[in-house]
Amino acid sequence: MKTEEATPMVPVSKSNANSSTNQCNHRRFNFEPTPLLDIAPIVSTENLLSETCYKSYNGWVFKNSSFRLVQVSIAIVVAVLILLSLDRSIGITNSILPCRPDGSPGDGDKNQTPTGMDEEASDNEISFEDNKRRESGPETSKGENMNTTCSCRQVHPKLSNTILDHLKQIHPSTNRSTSDYLKMQHPNFPVDAVMDMATRNIKCHLLPEYASISWVNTFWQRAATTKDVTLYLYSAVYDNRSMTADVQPCVRVLVISRSTKPPRPWCHLWFNATKPPQAVKALRVEYLDYHKPSSETSMPFLVTCPLPQEYAHLKPIAASLLPKPCTYTSNLLQVTGSGSLEESAFVDGRFPHSSRKHAEYTVAVCGPALYYYHQDFSFRLVEWLELLRAMGISRVFLYETDVHPNMEKVLRYYESQGFVEVTKYSYPPPYDNEPSTRRLWTNTHRVQMFAQENIYFSDCLLRHMHQHRFIAHFDPDEVPFLLHHDNFTHLINELLNKSHMELGKKAKSLPAGYKLQWNIFYDDLQPPQSTRDLPPYLHALRHTLRPKADFPQSPGTFKAIYDMNTVTGVFSHGPIVCGSGKCHSDVKRVDAKIAYLGHFTRTCGDTCRKEGYLKEDSTLLRYEEAVRVTVEKVLGELGLL
């Protein structure tokens, strides 16, 4: 984006015009747009030659040699700012750049030097400082400012060339650049911000360098919001959905805290490495669990950071949380996400051209964080993935901690095909991530473990909400049964059409999703005669016996297909937070005669031996031929048979 040159607006006396030290009125400022985002122009330092130079965002440049006039001007600006603080309906975008008599930039606000900034960084300062301030946006009940722009002193980051060379190197096993590989292996590493500062060899002093980030348990970052409250940050996602009208767009940050009510932090939203961050007060901190808050547990929360209106069309590259704005911090998360639904959300990648025809949506699945380290679940995993694919699921998103070597082979195989996307995950402090101790913890501290699940379940939905409008959550021991539909797209189309017909009649809005109730297929039941000859690695296809009566309904016996136009935070069995607030019961139940979820687990014992207690459901056998051939092929190629 080109920026027009600006000419002086204030006439200068003849005596001053001939002075070699007063040349602002004779020169035009050179505006150099930033390579990535042309948010604010950089003023060329060679043109800063006058005693006092003033620059504002709309490009006008003026100068005056009278010190008294400067005092009057400053007084006017202060008065205007005071008036604007009383009337939020009027905005101001005024930026001041002080200059020394020799033409070099002034010192600006020295109080903005970050704590913990080393001497070497201070010595690397560049002769430029953006010393602007802006206060605008909504107010809390206490009247605090929700949006401010920070001062930014530009410094040279350490070892920029070394960092840049490393990020560009090709990773041998994937044939990807190290920067792309980092996005796969370290999903929240701020690779775009690091790449930007290394490429420019310049950064704002408030932006943490990668080595200064306070990493914990590999994928988490530590952030203090008050003296007594610490947050552990996992991920940040850009959210521009229309249902978030009160904060559209915003950045959602998933965090863990032992505080039952953590205070709203400040958010630094970074659009590039050289400019000051946009500092905004978090609008909400929402609790993501159905258990009562307890300081004995690390609890999941969702922090919502609204974007200032003037930056609403831009996606930040990184985000930080901190107790006070415009101060240095040691956390920096990559911001993922997109501004709109991608082609993958629609069948055949096309949105319908006719306004009378509803779009046909694909359906994806978010699975759990796999920790099958002591169990080889590879056969079951391959069958599960192939059954989902046969039912029309377009993609499966899984999280990985430590898994059995055979599971590792399966995950890498389906990743290479593009059907599965794996995100690396670790549990936050104080929990141990050594596989054996983690297994012990997950089996003995179930409430704490379930609370942590809400982080990666919510992260999965938010991270991929721009790729699919409908995303289900199923575990690998859960297989959907579609009793009257060929695939999930047909099921969702019917459910969505019914919901549209009910708008204004029975319903005020579309549901947050659709829930499938469990029916149990017990592991200790022998396959019936009809499926006994199937190979043992087809567990779900062989086990077709279940109780005649549907499984008793309760909040924990359903799994949901979420409408990502609405849902924001979830637990394992349903939504917790939507764009409009709490939404525990906003999911519509699907009749078990239309579809349900087979849960292949548990033991039945003597109960199932009662005459007439069981029935056979052969719904999955419609996929038997295709799934059997494919599973055998995959297991053979991986050397698992």
Side-chain angles (χ1 to χ4, degrees):
M1 183 174 70
K2 295 183 179 180
T3 308
E4 296 183 359
E5 296 180 342
T7 54
M9 293 301 298
V10 179
V12 185
S13 64
K14 292 183 179 180
S15 60
N16 286 337
N18 296 326
S19 171
S20 62
T21 60
N22 263 322
Q23 302 180 36
C24 274
N25 55 321
H26 293 302
R27 292 176 179 256
R28 293 183 177 186
F29 284 96
N30 295 326
F31 294 140
E32 302 172 357
T34 59
L36 294 183
L37 295 172
D38 186 15
I39 297 173
I42 299 177
V43 181
S44 176
T45 55
E46 66 181 2
N47 291 318
L48 304 179
L49 302 175
S50 65
E51 294 182 4
T52 309
C53 307
Y54 297 96
K55 176 182 75 69
S56 64
Y57 265 105
N58 59 9
W60 295 110
V61 180
F62 64 91
K63 120 181 207 319
N64 196 298
S65 60
S66 171
F67 180 74
R68 185 174 299 277
L69 183 57
V70 172
Q71 290 179 313
V72 172
S73 300
I74 293 175
I76 292 174
V77 171
V78 171
V80 171
L81 289 175
I82 293 174
L83 289 174
L84 290 180
S85 68
L86 300 176
D87 185 2
R88 293 292 173 177
S89 64
I90 302 175
I92 185 169
T93 56
N94 199 35
S95 178
I96 300 175
L97 180 71
C99 302
R100 295 191 181 97
D102 62 357
S104 62
D107 292 329
D109 186 359
K110 292 184 178 180
N111 292 330
Q112 292 297 325
T113 303
T115 57
M117 185 175 178
D118 55 28
E119 292 296 327
E120 183 177 347
S122 299
D123 293 339
N124 287 337
E125 292 178 17
I126 294 175
S127 57
F128 169 75
E129 182 174 348
D130 185 1
N131 196 31
K132 62 193 177 74
R133 288 282 189 273
R134 185 185 305 140
E135 297 180 356
S136 62
E139 292 185 348
T140 66
S141 59
K142 296 181 180 180
E144 65 178 331
N145 294 318
M146 299 294 291
N147 175 17
T148 185
T149 302
C150 310
S151 294
C152 187
R153 182 175 59 258
Q154 294 191 334
V155 300
H156 288 299
K158 300 176 183 178
L159 303 174
S160 291
N161 291 336
T162 302
I163 296 171
L164 191 60
D165 290 344
H166 175 73
L167 292 175
K168 289 182 177 180
Q169 284 181 5
I170 300 300
H171 191 269
S173 63
T174 62
N175 202 31
R176 296 171 179 261
S177 67
T178 300
S179 60
D180 288 339
Y181 182 73
L182 267 175
K183 291 181 180 180
M184 294 171 51
Q185 296 296 309
H186 206 313
N188 306 310
F189 184 87
V191 62
D192 290 339
V194 173
M195 193 78 172
D196 191 25
M197 73 171 77
T199 302
R200 300 167 185 261
N201 191 27
I202 187 176
K203 77 177 189 74
C204 174
H205 75 280
L206 295 176
L207 181 70
E209 296 195 38
Y210 81 96
S212 302
I213 296 174
S214 181
W215 292 104
V216 185
N217 287 11
T218 307
F219 301 119
W220 296 79
Q221 298 180 24
R222 182 186 289 107
T225 55
T226 67
K227 182 179 179 180
D228 301 320
V229 176
T230 298
L231 302 180
Y232 291 98
L233 285 53
Y234 179 67
S235 63
V237 182
Y238 176 72
D239 188 351
N240 192 32
R241 293 172 291 177
S242 59
M243 65 88 181
T244 60
D246 61 329
V247 289
Q248 183 189 10
C250 62
V251 172
R252 312 275 191 183
V253 184
L254 285 163
V255 307
I256 288 287
S257 177
R258 291 231 166 194
S259 170
T260 57
K261 192 174 182 180
R264 290 182 298 128
W266 280 84
C267 315
H268 277 182
L269 304 177
W270 295 92
F271 294 91
N272 60 48
T274 62
K275 296 301 182 205
Q278 287 300 302
V280 295
K281 186 79 169 180
L283 192 66
R284 293 190 288 267
V285 178
E286 295 167 295
Y287 181 52
L288 294 183
D289 203 358
Y290 59 92
H291 291 107
K292 184 179 180 180
S294 170
S295 59
E296 300 297 318
T297 301
S298 291
M299 294 163 288
F301 294 91
L302 183 69
V303 179
T304 297
C305 304
L307 265 69
Q309 185 176 0
E310 60 268 35
Y311 292 91
H313 62 294
L314 298 171
K315 172 190 167 184
I317 61 173
S320 304
L321 299 185
L322 58 170
K324 295 190 299 183
C326 305
T327 56
Y328 186 77
T329 185
S330 59
N331 65 83
L332 187 69
L333 291 169
Q334 174 88 354
V335 174
T336 63
S338 179
S340 59
L341 275 177
E342 298 179 359
E343 292 180 351
S344 56
F346 306 100
V347 174
D348 299 326
R350 294 195 302 266
F351 192 85
H353 297 292
S354 173
S355 60
R356 297 180 180 179
K357 184 178 179 182
H358 290 299
E360 289 191 322
Y361 294 101
T362 60
V363 181
V365 168
C366 277
L370 301 174
Y371 53 88
Y372 293 92
Y373 184 76
H374 302 83
Q375 180 185 5
D376 184 2
F377 199 74
S378 55
F379 286 10
R380 295 279 298 273
L381 182 61
V382 172
E383 183 196 27
W384 181 67
L385 291 172
E386 292 301 338
L387 280 169
L388 292 180
R389 177 144 58 181
M391 295 179 200
I393 294 297
S394 61
R395 209 162 187 204
V396 177
F397 304 107
L398 296 172
Y399 285 65
E400 179 186 355
T401 56
D402 297 276
V403 296
H404 190 280
N406 289 343
M407 295 275 287
E408 184 83 20
K409 291 180 182 180
V410 172
L411 293 176
R412 302 294 82 82
Y413 175 86
Y414 283 101
E415 272 188 313
S416 67
Q417 288 194 334
F419 182 58
V420 170
E421 182 174 321
V422 178
T423 300
K424 298 292 186 179
Y425 187 77
S426 66
Y427 286 91
Y431 309 119
D432 188 8
N433 281 279
E434 196 282 324
S436 295
T437 56
R438 181 176 58 234
R439 182 192 187 195
L440 179 63
W441 172 70
T442 56
N443 284 307
T444 58
H445 292 72
R446 305 296 284 175
V447 172
Q448 290 89 331
M449 188 269 285
F450 290 145
Q452 308 316 308
E453 286 185 339
N454 301 345
I455 288 290
Y456 56 74
F457 290 150
S458 298
D459 177 77
C460 186
L461 295 178
L462 292 174
R463 191 180 292 267
H464 302 294
M465 63 186 174
H466 59 288
Q467 297 170 334
H468 299 276
R469 176 177 172 181
F470 290 95
I471 305 178
H473 166 54
F474 304 142
D475 290 328
D477 59 0
E478 298 170 335
V479 179
F481 281 64
L482 308 181
L483 304 180
H484 301 289
H485 299 86
D486 293 332
N487 56 57
F488 262 94
T489 293
H490 294 165
L491 172 65
I492 284 296
N493 284 344
E494 180 177 324
L495 296 175
L496 193 58
N497 287 337
K498 287 183 178 179
S499 296
H500 277 289
M501 293 174 62
E502 292 174 356
L503 277 178
K505 299 178 181 178
K506 298 180 181 179
K508 296 181 180 179
S509 61
L510 293 175
Y514 304 92
K515 58 185 179 182
L516 304 180
Q517 75 174 65
W518 273 352
N519 272 311
I520 307 298
F521 290 77
Y522 293 100
D523 283 344
D524 63 337
L525 293 179
Q526 291 298 316
Q529 189 66 39
S530 60
T531 61
R532 198 163 294 171
D533 292 336
L534 289 176
Y537 49 76
L538 298 177
H539 182 89
L541 289 176
R542 295 179 82 224
H543 288 76
T544 57
L545 294 176
R546 49 153 287 200
K548 286 183 178 180
D550 287 337
F551 197 69
Q553 298 180 30
S554 71
T557 62
F558 290 90
K559 287 296 183 69
I561 307 169
Y562 298 104
D563 186 344
M564 294 314 300
N565 277 1
T566 301
V567 175
T568 301
V570 301
F571 73 109
S572 181
H573 296 278
I576 296 179
V577 177
C578 294
S580 57
K582 296 292 183 181
C583 56
H584 291 284
S585 59
D586 294 355
V587 179
K588 188 171 183 178
R589 176 181 173 271
V590 177
D591 192 324
K593 295 179 181 179
I594 296 175
Y596 67 85
L597 196 61
H599 196 188
F600 290 80
T601 185
R602 307 185 183 182
T603 57
C604 187
D606 293 337
T607 302
C608 287
R609 295 186 177 93
K610 297 177 181 178
E611 186 176 354
Y613 185 77
L614 299 174
K615 73 173 184 179
E616 185 173 358
D617 189 332
S618 58
T619 302
L620 294 184
L621 293 180
R622 76 173 75 161
Y623 313 111
E624 183 262 325
E625 183 175 355
V627 170
R628 176 174 50 81
V629 172
T630 309
V631 170
E632 184 176 352
K633 173 179 177 291
V634 173
L635 295 178
E637 289 184 9
L638 297 179
L640 300 179
L641 281 181

